[in-house]
Amino acid sequence: MLPDTSPADWQDLERVSFGDSPALADALLDLVLSGQKTATCWSVEDGQQTRPGRRSVLCDGSGRPRAVVETVSLRILSFDRVPAEFARKEGEGDLSLAYWRQEHRRFFEGLGHYSETMDLWCEEFKVVEVLPTGAGRSS
């Protein structure tokens, strides 16, 4: 079990970003920083990438650290069983389940492994600390 990490210790945390392009990473980061996006998902085929209580550094599309996030909950759901409440917490588009399904289908098809019954890791997270612009740069 990993120890709890204080926000001041963020430099040692794993760095992650959302999306499949720098532009999408930036757009999704903006949703996180505004408080609209508090959830994300990925294919079970990609492995369990976090656990409740684990903290990581969320980066922008250029790889710059922008926030420390903490996993609040993690569960496996099949694509066709993701509820509207989770889709809304993903914070994208019009926040509807229909939009979520359309965009996530496109995303997973682009990765070459979409199935309506594919299993997803569904993570809810919270922002622990917003990092100052320029954080993580070498002196």
Side-chain angles (χ1 to χ4, degrees):
M1 189 168 192
L2 296 174
D4 288 333
T5 305
S6 72
D9 296 331
W10 67 267
Q11 292 91 344
D12 295 331
L13 299 174
E14 179 182 7
R15 295 179 185 206
V16 299
S17 60
F18 296 143
D20 58 359
S21 70
L24 184 55
D26 286 343
L28 296 176
L29 173 67
D30 287 345
L31 293 174
V32 170
L33 295 177
S34 74
Q36 186 169 320
K37 182 173 181 63
T38 60
T40 192
C41 68
W42 62 91
S43 172
V44 165
E45 292 178 12
D46 294 329
Q48 183 177 345
Q49 299 173 11
T50 190
R51 63 163 176 74
R54 184 171 185 204
R55 292 182 175 178
S56 56
V57 174
L58 186 58
C59 297
D60 65 18
S62 297
R64 289 182 298 253
R66 297 295 308 281
V68 176
V69 295
E70 181 179 313
T71 302
V72 174
S73 68
L74 184 66
R75 60 188 169 154
I76 296 175
L77 295 171
S78 67
F79 185 94
D80 61 344
R81 298 221 183 250
V82 169
E85 176 187 1
F86 185 83
R88 189 171 45 259
K89 289 178 181 182
E90 284 244 20
E92 301 168 41
D94 65 4
L95 307 179
S96 71
L97 182 58
Y99 181 90
W100 182 93
R101 286 186 174 154
Q102 171 190 311
E103 289 305 303
H104 283 76
R105 178 179 181 154
R106 179 201 58 78
F107 177 80
F108 289 117
E109 283 178 341
L111 297 176
H113 59 257
Y114 168 75
S115 162
E116 193 169 301
T117 58
M118 69 185 288
D119 284 333
L120 302 174
W121 284 107
C122 295
E123 174 192 11
E124 292 184 41
F125 58 85
K126 65 181 179 181
V127 174
V128 175
E129 181 178 13
V130 175
L131 301 173
T133 304
R137 291 190 182 166
S138 301
S139 307

